[in-house]
Coordinates of all heavy atoms in Angstrom, one line a residue:
L5 N -74.8 -27.0 41.9 CA -73.4 -27.2 42.3 C -72.8 -28.4 41.7 O -71.7 -28.4 41.2 CB -73.2 -27.2 43.8 CG -73.4 -25.8 44.5 CD1 -73.3 -26.0 46.0 CD2 -72.4 -24.8 44.0
H6 N -73.6 -29.5 41.7 CA -73.1 -30.8 41.2 C -72.8 -30.6 39.7 O -71.7 -31.1 39.2 CB -74.1 -31.9 41.5 CG -73.6 -33.2 40.9 ND1 -72.6 -33.9 41.5 CD2 -74.1 -33.9 39.9 CE1 -72.4 -35.0 40.7 NE2 -73.3 -35.0 39.8
A7 N -73.7 -30.0 39.0 CA -73.5 -29.9 37.5 C -72.3 -29.0 37.2 O -71.5 -29.3 36.3 CB -74.8 -29.3 36.9
L8 N -72.1 -28.0 38.0 CA -70.9 -27.1 37.8 C -69.7 -27.9 38.1 O -68.7 -27.8 37.3 CB -71.1 -25.9 38.7 CG -69.9 -24.9 38.6 CD1 -69.7 -24.3 37.2 CD2 -70.2 -23.7 39.6
H9 N -69.6 -28.6 39.2 CA -68.5 -29.4 39.5 C -68.1 -30.4 38.5 O -67.0 -30.6 38.1 CB -68.7 -30.0 40.9 CG -67.4 -30.6 41.5 ND1 -67.0 -31.8 41.2 CD2 -66.6 -30.0 42.3 CE1 -65.9 -32.0 41.9 NE2 -65.6 -31.0 42.5
T10 N -69.2 -31.1 38.0 CA -68.9 -32.1 36.9 C -68.4 -31.5 35.6 O -67.5 -32.0 35.0 CB -70.3 -32.9 36.6 OG1 -70.7 -33.5 37.8 CG2 -70.1 -33.9 35.6
H11 N -69.0 -30.4 35.2 CA -68.5 -29.7 34.0 C -67.1 -29.3 34.1 O -66.3 -29.5 33.2 CB -69.4 -28.5 33.7 CG -69.0 -27.7 32.6 ND1 -69.3 -28.0 31.3 CD2 -68.2 -26.6 32.5 CE1 -68.8 -27.2 30.4 NE2 -68.0 -26.3 31.1
L12 N -66.7 -28.6 35.3 CA -65.4 -28.2 35.4 C -64.4 -29.3 35.5 O -63.2 -29.2 35.1 CB -65.2 -27.3 36.6 CG -66.0 -25.9 36.5 CD1 -65.9 -25.1 37.8 CD2 -65.5 -25.1 35.3
A13 N -64.8 -30.4 36.1 CA -63.9 -31.6 36.2 C -63.6 -32.2 34.8 O -62.5 -32.6 34.6 CB -64.5 -32.7 37.1
D14 N -64.6 -32.1 34.0 CA -64.4 -32.7 32.6 C -63.7 -31.7 31.7 O -62.9 -32.1 30.9 CB -65.8 -33.0 32.0 CG -66.5 -34.1 32.7 OD1 -65.8 -34.9 33.4 OD2 -67.7 -34.3 32.5
R15 N -64.0 -30.4 31.8 CA -63.5 -29.4 30.8 C -62.5 -28.4 31.4 O -61.9 -27.7 30.6 CB -64.7 -28.7 30.2 CG -65.6 -29.7 29.4 CD -66.6 -29.0 28.7 NE -67.4 -29.9 27.9 CZ -68.6 -30.3 28.3 NH1 -69.1 -29.9 29.4 NH2 -69.3 -31.2 27.5
G16 N -62.4 -28.3 32.7 CA -61.5 -27.3 33.3 C -61.9 -25.9 33.4 O -61.4 -25.2 34.2
R17 N -62.8 -25.5 32.6 CA -63.4 -24.1 32.7 C -64.7 -24.0 32.0 O -65.1 -24.9 31.3 CB -62.4 -23.1 32.1 CG -62.2 -23.2 30.6 CD -61.2 -22.2 30.2 NE -60.8 -22.4 28.8 CZ -60.2 -21.6 28.1 NH1 -59.8 -20.4 28.6 NH2 -59.8 -21.9 26.9
G18 N -65.4 -22.9 32.3 CA -66.8 -22.8 31.8 C -67.3 -21.4 32.1 O -66.6 -20.6 32.8
V19 N -68.5 -21.1 31.6 CA -69.2 -19.9 31.8 C -70.5 -20.2 32.4 O -71.3 -21.0 31.9 CB -69.3 -19.0 30.5 CG1 -70.1 -17.8 30.7 CG2 -68.0 -18.7 29.9
V20 N -70.9 -19.5 33.5 CA -72.2 -19.6 34.1 C -73.0 -18.4 33.7 O -72.6 -17.3 34.0 CB -72.1 -19.7 35.6 CG1 -73.5 -19.8 36.2 CG2 -71.3 -20.9 36.0
V21 N -74.1 -18.6 33.0 CA -75.0 -17.6 32.6 C -76.3 -17.7 33.3 O -77.0 -18.7 33.2 CB -75.3 -17.6 31.1 CG1 -76.2 -16.5 30.6 CG2 -74.0 -17.5 30.3
M22 N -76.6 -16.7 34.1 CA -77.8 -16.6 34.9 C -78.4 -15.2 34.9 O -77.6 -14.3 34.9 CB -77.5 -17.1 36.4 CG -77.0 -18.5 36.5 SD -76.3 -18.9 38.2 CE -77.7 -18.7 39.2
P23 N -79.7 -15.1 35.0 CA -80.3 -13.7 35.0 C -80.0 -13.0 36.3 O -79.7 -13.6 37.4 CB -81.8 -14.0 34.8 CG -82.0 -15.4 35.2 CD -80.7 -16.1 35.0
C24 N -80.3 -11.7 36.3 CA -80.1 -10.9 37.5 C -81.0 -11.4 38.6 O -82.1 -11.8 38.4 CB -80.5 -9.4 37.2 SG -79.4 -8.6 36.0
G25 N -80.4 -11.4 39.9 CA -81.2 -11.8 41.0 C -81.4 -13.3 41.2 O -82.2 -13.7 42.1
S26 N -80.7 -14.1 40.4 CA -81.0 -15.6 40.5 C -80.0 -16.3 41.3 O -80.1 -17.5 41.5 CB -80.9 -16.2 39.0 OG -79.7 -16.0 38.5
G27 N -79.0 -15.6 41.9 CA -78.1 -16.2 42.8 C -76.7 -16.5 42.4 O -76.0 -17.4 42.9
K28 N -76.2 -15.7 41.4 CA -74.8 -15.9 40.9 C -73.8 -15.8 42.0 O -72.8 -16.5 42.1 CB -74.5 -15.0 39.8 CG -75.3 -15.3 38.5 CD -74.9 -14.3 37.4 CE -75.3 -12.9 37.6 NZ -76.8 -12.6 37.6
T29 N -74.0 -14.7 42.9 CA -73.0 -14.5 44.0 C -73.0 -15.7 44.9 O -71.9 -16.1 45.3 CB -73.4 -13.2 44.7 OG1 -73.4 -12.1 43.8 CG2 -72.5 -12.9 45.9
L30 N -74.2 -16.2 45.3 CA -74.3 -17.3 46.2 C -73.7 -18.6 45.6 O -73.0 -19.4 46.2 CB -75.7 -17.5 46.7 CG -76.2 -16.4 47.6 CD1 -77.7 -16.7 47.9 CD2 -75.4 -16.4 48.9
L31 N -74.0 -18.8 44.3 CA -73.4 -19.9 43.6 C -71.9 -19.9 43.7 O -71.3 -20.9 44.0 CB -73.9 -20.0 42.1 CG -73.3 -21.1 41.3 CD1 -73.9 -22.5 41.8 CD2 -73.6 -20.9 39.8
G32 N -71.3 -18.8 43.4 CA -69.8 -18.7 43.5 C -69.3 -18.9 44.9 O -68.3 -19.6 45.1
R33 N -70.0 -18.4 45.9 CA -69.6 -18.6 47.3 C -69.7 -20.0 47.7 O -68.8 -20.6 48.3 CB -70.5 -17.7 48.2 CG -70.0 -17.7 49.6 CD -71.2 -18.2 50.5 NE -70.9 -18.0 51.9 CZ -70.6 -19.0 52.7 NH1 -70.5 -20.2 52.3 NH2 -70.4 -18.8 54.0
W34 N -70.8 -20.6 47.4 CA -71.0 -22.0 47.7 C -70.0 -22.9 47.0 O -69.5 -23.9 47.6 CB -72.5 -22.5 47.4 CG -73.5 -21.8 48.2 CD1 -73.4 -21.3 49.5 CD2 -74.9 -21.6 47.9 NE1 -74.6 -20.8 49.9 CE2 -75.5 -20.9 48.9 CE3 -75.6 -21.8 46.7 CZ2 -76.8 -20.6 48.9 CZ3 -76.9 -21.5 46.7 CH2 -77.5 -20.8 47.8
F35 N -69.7 -22.6 45.8 CA -68.8 -23.5 45.0 C -67.4 -23.3 45.6 O -66.7 -24.3 45.8 CB -68.8 -23.1 43.6 CG -68.1 -24.1 42.7 CD1 -68.6 -25.4 42.5 CD2 -66.9 -23.8 42.1 CE1 -68.0 -26.3 41.8 CE2 -66.3 -24.7 41.3 CZ -66.8 -26.0 41.1
A36 N -67.0 -22.1 46.0 CA -65.7 -21.8 46.6 C -65.6 -22.6 47.9 O -64.6 -23.2 48.2 CB -65.5 -20.3 46.8
E37 N -66.7 -22.6 48.7 CA -66.7 -23.3 50.0 C -66.6 -24.8 49.7 O -65.8 -25.5 50.4 CB -67.9 -22.9 50.8 CG -67.9 -23.6 52.2 CD -69.0 -23.1 53.0 OE1 -70.0 -22.6 52.5 OE2 -68.9 -23.3 54.2
Q38 N -67.3 -25.3 48.8 CA -67.3 -26.7 48.5 C -65.9 -27.2 48.1 O -65.5 -28.3 48.5 CB -68.3 -27.0 47.4 CG -68.5 -28.5 47.1 CD -69.5 -28.8 46.0 OE1 -69.2 -28.4 44.9 NE2 -70.6 -29.4 46.3
L39 N -65.2 -26.4 47.4 CA -63.8 -26.7 47.0 C -62.8 -26.4 48.0 O -61.6 -26.7 47.9 CB -63.4 -25.9 45.7 CG -64.2 -26.2 44.4 CD1 -63.7 -25.3 43.3 CD2 -64.0 -27.7 44.0
A40 N -63.2 -25.8 49.1 CA -62.3 -25.3 50.2 C -61.3 -24.4 49.6 O -60.1 -24.5 50.0 CB -61.7 -26.5 51.0
A41 N -61.7 -23.5 48.7 CA -60.7 -22.6 48.1 C -60.2 -21.6 49.1 O -60.9 -21.1 49.9 CB -61.5 -21.8 47.0
R42 N -58.9 -21.5 49.1 CA -58.2 -20.6 50.1 C -58.3 -19.1 49.5 O -58.2 -18.2 50.3 CB -56.8 -21.0 50.3 CG -56.7 -22.3 51.1 CD -55.3 -22.7 51.5 NE -54.4 -22.6 50.4 CZ -53.1 -22.6 50.5 NH1 -52.6 -22.7 51.7 NH2 -52.3 -22.5 49.4
L43 N -58.3 -19.0 48.2 CA -58.4 -17.6 47.6 C -59.4 -17.7 46.5 O -59.4 -18.6 45.7 CB -57.0 -17.2 47.0 CG -57.0 -15.9 46.3 CD1 -57.3 -14.7 47.2 CD2 -55.6 -15.7 45.6
T44 N -60.3 -16.7 46.5 CA -61.3 -16.5 45.5 C -61.2 -15.2 44.9 O -61.1 -14.2 45.6 CB -62.7 -16.7 46.1 OG1 -62.8 -18.0 46.8 CG2 -63.8 -16.7 45.0
L45 N -61.2 -15.1 43.6 CA -61.1 -13.8 42.8 C -62.4 -13.6 42.2 O -62.9 -14.5 41.4 CB -60.0 -13.9 41.8 CG -59.8 -12.7 40.9 CD1 -59.4 -11.4 41.8 CD2 -58.7 -12.9 39.9
V46 N -63.1 -12.5 42.5 CA -64.4 -12.2 42.0 C -64.4 -10.9 41.2 O -63.9 -9.9 41.8 CB -65.4 -12.1 43.1 CG1 -66.8 -11.9 42.6 CG2 -65.4 -13.4 43.9
F47 N -64.9 -10.8 40.0 CA -65.0 -9.6 39.2 C -66.4 -9.1 39.2 O -67.3 -9.9 38.9 CB -64.5 -9.8 37.8 CG -63.1 -10.2 37.7 CD1 -62.6 -11.5 37.7 CD2 -62.1 -9.2 37.6 CE1 -61.3 -11.8 37.6 CE2 -60.8 -9.5 37.5 CZ -60.4 -10.8 37.5
V48 N -66.7 -7.9 39.6 CA -68.0 -7.3 39.6 C -68.0 -6.0 38.8 O -67.0 -5.3 38.8 CB -68.5 -7.1 41.0 CG1 -68.7 -8.4 41.7 CG2 -67.7 -6.2 41.8
P49 N -69.1 -5.6 38.2 CA -69.2 -4.4 37.4 C -69.6 -3.1 38.2 O -69.3 -2.0 37.7 CB -70.2 -4.7 36.4 CG -71.2 -5.6 37.1 CD -70.3 -6.4 38.0
T50 N -70.1 -3.2 39.4 CA -70.6 -2.1 40.2 C -70.1 -2.1 41.6 O -69.9 -3.2 42.2 CB -72.1 -1.9 40.1 OG1 -72.7 -3.0 40.8 CG2 -72.6 -1.9 38.7
L51 N -70.1 -0.9 42.2 CA -69.7 -0.9 43.7 C -70.8 -1.5 44.5 O -70.5 -2.1 45.5 CB -69.6 0.6 44.1 CG -68.3 1.3 43.6 CD1 -68.4 2.8 43.9 CD2 -67.1 0.7 44.1
A52 N -72.0 -1.5 44.1 CA -73.1 -2.1 44.9 C -72.9 -3.6 45.0 O -73.1 -4.3 46.0 CB -74.5 -1.9 44.2
L53 N -72.3 -4.2 43.9 CA -72.1 -5.7 43.9 C -70.8 -6.0 44.8 O -70.7 -7.2 45.2 CB -71.9 -6.2 42.5 CG -73.2 -6.3 41.7 CD1 -73.0 -6.7 40.3 CD2 -74.2 -7.2 42.4
V54 N -70.0 -5.1 45.0 CA -68.8 -5.3 45.9 C -69.4 -5.6 47.3 O -69.0 -6.6 47.9 CB -67.8 -4.1 45.9 CG1 -66.8 -4.3 47.0 CG2 -67.1 -4.0 44.6
G55 N -70.2 -4.7 47.8 CA -70.8 -4.9 49.1 C -71.6 -6.2 49.2 O -71.5 -7.0 50.2
Q56 N -72.4 -6.5 48.2 CA -73.2 -7.7 48.2 C -72.3 -9.0 48.2 O -72.6 -9.9 48.9 CB -74.1 -7.8 46.9 CG -74.8 -9.1 46.7 CD -75.5 -9.1 45.4 OE1 -76.1 -8.1 45.0 NE2 -75.5 -10.3 44.7
T57 N -71.2 -8.9 47.5 CA -70.3 -10.0 47.4 C -69.6 -10.2 48.7 O -69.4 -11.4 49.2 CB -69.3 -9.9 46.2 OG1 -70.0 -9.7 45.0 CG2 -68.4 -11.0 46.1
V58 N -69.1 -9.2 49.3 CA -68.4 -9.2 50.6 C -69.3 -9.9 51.6 O -68.9 -10.8 52.4 CB -67.9 -7.9 51.1 CG1 -67.5 -7.9 52.5 CG2 -66.8 -7.4 50.2
L59 N -70.6 -9.4 51.7 CA -71.5 -10.0 52.7 C -71.8 -11.4 52.4 O -71.8 -12.2 53.4 CB -72.8 -9.2 52.7 CG -72.8 -7.8 53.2 CD1 -74.1 -7.0 53.0 CD2 -72.4 -7.8 54.7
A60 N -72.0 -11.8 51.2 CA -72.3 -13.2 50.8 C -71.1 -14.1 51.2 O -71.3 -15.2 51.7 CB -72.6 -13.3 49.4
Y61 N -69.9 -13.7 51.0 CA -68.7 -14.5 51.2 C -68.4 -14.6 52.7 O -67.8 -15.6 53.2 CB -67.5 -14.1 50.4 CG -67.5 -14.6 49.0 CD1 -68.4 -14.3 48.1 CD2 -66.6 -15.6 48.7 CE1 -68.4 -14.8 46.8 CE2 -66.6 -16.2 47.4 CZ -67.5 -15.8 46.5 OH -67.5 -16.3 45.2
R62 N -68.8 -13.6 53.5 CA -68.5 -13.6 54.9 C -69.6 -14.3 55.7 O -69.3 -14.9 56.8 CB -68.3 -12.2 55.4 CG -67.0 -11.5 55.0 CD -66.9 -10.2 55.7 NE -65.6 -9.6 55.3 CZ -65.3 -8.4 55.6 NH1 -66.1 -7.6 56.2 NH2 -64.1 -7.9 55.2
E63 N -70.8 -14.2 55.3 CA -71.9 -14.7 56.1 C -71.8 -16.2 56.2 O -71.8 -17.0 55.2 CB -73.2 -14.4 55.4 CG -74.4 -14.8 56.2 CD -75.7 -14.3 55.5 OE1 -75.7 -13.3 54.8 OE2 -76.7 -15.0 55.7
G64 N -71.7 -16.7 57.4 CA -71.7 -18.1 57.7 C -70.5 -18.8 57.2 O -70.5 -20.1 57.0
A65 N -69.4 -18.1 56.8 CA -68.2 -18.8 56.3 C -67.6 -19.7 57.3 O -67.1 -19.2 58.3 CB -67.2 -17.7 55.8
A66 N -67.5 -20.9 57.0 CA -67.0 -21.9 57.9 C -65.6 -22.4 57.5 O -65.0 -23.2 58.1 CB -67.9 -23.1 58.1
W67 N -65.1 -21.8 56.4 CA -63.8 -22.3 55.9 C -62.9 -21.1 55.8 O -63.3 -20.0 55.5 CB -64.0 -23.0 54.5 CG -63.9 -22.1 53.3 CD1 -62.8 -22.1 52.4 CD2 -64.9 -21.3 52.7 NE1 -63.1 -21.2 51.4 CE2 -64.4 -20.7 51.6 CE3 -66.2 -20.9 53.1 CZ2 -65.1 -19.8 50.8 CZ3 -66.9 -20.0 52.3 CH2 -66.4 -19.5 51.2
P68 N -61.6 -21.3 56.1 CA -60.6 -20.2 56.0 C -60.4 -19.8 54.6 O -60.0 -20.6 53.8 CB -59.4 -20.7 56.7 CG -59.5 -22.2 56.6 CD -61.0 -22.5 56.5
H69 N -60.6 -18.5 54.3 CA -60.4 -18.1 52.9 C -60.2 -16.6 52.8 O -60.4 -15.9 53.8 CB -61.7 -18.5 52.1 CG -62.9 -17.6 52.4 ND1 -63.6 -17.8 53.5 CD2 -63.4 -16.5 51.8 CE1 -64.5 -16.8 53.6 NE2 -64.4 -16.1 52.5
Q70 N -59.7 -16.2 51.7 CA -59.6 -14.8 51.4 C -60.3 -14.6 50.0 O -60.3 -15.4 49.2 CB -58.1 -14.4 51.2 CG -57.3 -14.5 52.4 CD -55.8 -14.1 52.2 OE1 -55.3 -14.3 51.1 NE2 -55.2 -13.5 53.2
T71 N -60.9 -13.4 50.0 CA -61.7 -13.1 48.7 C -61.1 -11.7 48.2 O -61.0 -10.8 49.0 CB -63.2 -12.9 49.0 OG1 -63.6 -14.2 49.5 CG2 -63.9 -12.6 47.7
M72 N -60.7 -11.7 47.0 CA -60.3 -10.5 46.3 C -61.4 -10.1 45.3 O -61.8 -10.9 44.5 CB -59.0 -10.7 45.6 CG -58.5 -9.4 44.9 SD -57.0 -9.7 43.9 CE -55.9 -10.0 45.3
I73 N -61.9 -8.9 45.5 CA -63.0 -8.4 44.6 C -62.5 -7.3 43.8 O -62.0 -6.3 44.3 CB -64.2 -8.0 45.5 CG1 -64.7 -9.2 46.4 CG2 -65.3 -7.5 44.6 CD1 -65.7 -8.8 47.4
V74 N -62.6 -7.4 42.5 CA -62.2 -6.4 41.5 C -63.4 -5.8 40.9 O -64.3 -6.5 40.4 CB -61.3 -7.1 40.4 CG1 -60.9 -6.0 39.4 CG2 -60.1 -7.8 41.0
C75 N -63.5 -4.4 40.9 CA -64.6 -3.7 40.4 C -64.2 -2.8 39.2 O -63.2 -2.1 39.3 CB -65.2 -2.9 41.5 SG -66.6 -1.9 41.0
S76 N -65.0 -2.9 38.2 CA -64.7 -2.1 37.0 C -65.5 -0.8 36.9 O -65.4 0.0 36.0 CB -65.0 -2.9 35.7 OG -66.4 -3.3 35.7
D77 N -66.2 -0.5 38.0 CA -67.0 0.8 38.0 C -66.0 2.0 38.0 O -65.2 2.1 38.8 CB -67.9 0.8 39.3 CG -68.9 1.9 39.3 OD1 -68.6 3.0 38.8 OD2 -70.0 1.7 39.9
P78 N -66.2 2.9 37.1 CA -65.3 4.1 37.0 C -65.3 4.9 38.3 O -64.4 5.7 38.5 CB -65.7 4.8 35.8 CG -67.1 4.4 35.4 CD -67.2 3.0 36.0
M79 N -66.4 4.8 39.0 CA -66.5 5.6 40.3 C -65.8 5.0 41.4 O -65.7 5.5 42.5 CB -68.0 5.8 40.7 CG -68.8 6.5 39.6 SD -68.1 8.2 39.1 CE -68.4 9.1 40.6
S80 N -65.2 3.8 41.2 CA -64.5 3.1 42.3 C -63.1 3.6 42.7 O -62.5 3.2 43.6 CB -64.5 1.6 42.0 OG -63.6 1.3 40.9
G81 N -62.6 4.5 41.9 CA -61.3 5.0 42.1 C -60.6 5.3 40.8 O -61.1 5.1 39.7
R82 N -59.3 5.7 40.9 CA -58.6 6.0 39.7 C -57.5 4.9 39.5 O -57.1 4.3 40.4 CB -57.9 7.3 39.8 CG -56.9 7.5 40.9 CD -56.4 8.9 40.9 NE -55.5 9.1 42.0 CZ -54.2 8.7 42.0 NH1 -53.7 8.1 40.9 NH2 -53.4 8.9 43.1
A83 N -57.2 4.7 38.2 CA -56.2 3.7 37.9 C -54.8 4.2 38.2 O -54.6 5.4 38.2 CB -56.3 3.4 36.4
V84 N -54.0 3.4 38.7 CA -52.6 3.7 39.0 C -51.7 3.1 38.0 O -51.7 1.9 37.9 CB -52.3 3.3 40.5 CG1 -50.8 3.6 40.8 CG2 -53.2 3.9 41.5
G85 N -50.9 3.9 37.4 CA -49.9 3.3 36.4 C -48.7 2.9 37.0 O -48.2 3.5 38.0
L86 N -48.1 1.8 36.6 CA -46.9 1.3 37.1 C -45.8 1.7 36.1 O -45.9 1.5 34.9 CB -46.9 -0.3 37.2 CG -48.0 -0.8 38.1 CD1 -48.0 -2.3 38.1 CD2 -47.7 -0.3 39.5
E87 N -44.7 2.2 36.6 CA -43.6 2.7 35.7 C -42.4 1.9 36.1 O -42.1 1.5 37.1 CB -43.4 4.2 35.9 CG -44.6 5.0 35.5 CD -44.5 6.5 35.8 OE1 -43.4 6.9 36.1 OE2 -45.5 7.1 35.6

């Protein structure tokens, strides 16, 4: 968390690359909590990761926050066009 915080403070943005099962969801949750983020936007590729992310962000959450999770899985619903 410290390295991520230092990198973002210096450069403003970055990419975290970690293998499957190594804790990317928890890293995001812990970082959002450390920053006391009121809103967190999370992008996930599958419906299974939506559930995992919701549980991780709600479990033991001691800070008031909202999490918006966007899923690109084609089985998650249909796109709605704005006219």
Side-chain angles (χ1 to χ4, degrees):
L5 286 175
H6 178 72
L8 179 58
H9 193 273
T10 300
H11 176 84
L12 293 176
D14 291 343
R15 296 186 179 100
R17 62 180 170 168
V19 175
V20 175
V21 179
M22 298 168 59
C24 294
S26 63
K28 292 180 293 289
T29 300
L30 289 175
L31 178 68
R33 185 242 192 251
W34 293 333
F35 194 67
E37 185 174 19
Q38 186 180 63
L39 294 177
R42 293 187 309 166
L43 175 64
T44 305
L45 179 60
V46 181
F47 295 91
V48 296
T50 65
L51 288 173
L53 289 176
V54 169
Q56 174 185 319
T57 304
V58 167
L59 290 175
Y61 274 69
R62 285 185 180 170
E63 185 177 329
W67 90 103
H69 72 285
Q70 293 180 328
T71 303
M72 179 182 294
I73 303 170
V74 178
C75 180
S76 60
D77 190 326
M79 300 303 291
S80 65
R82 62 182 177 82
V84 176
L86 299 175
E87 297 176 9

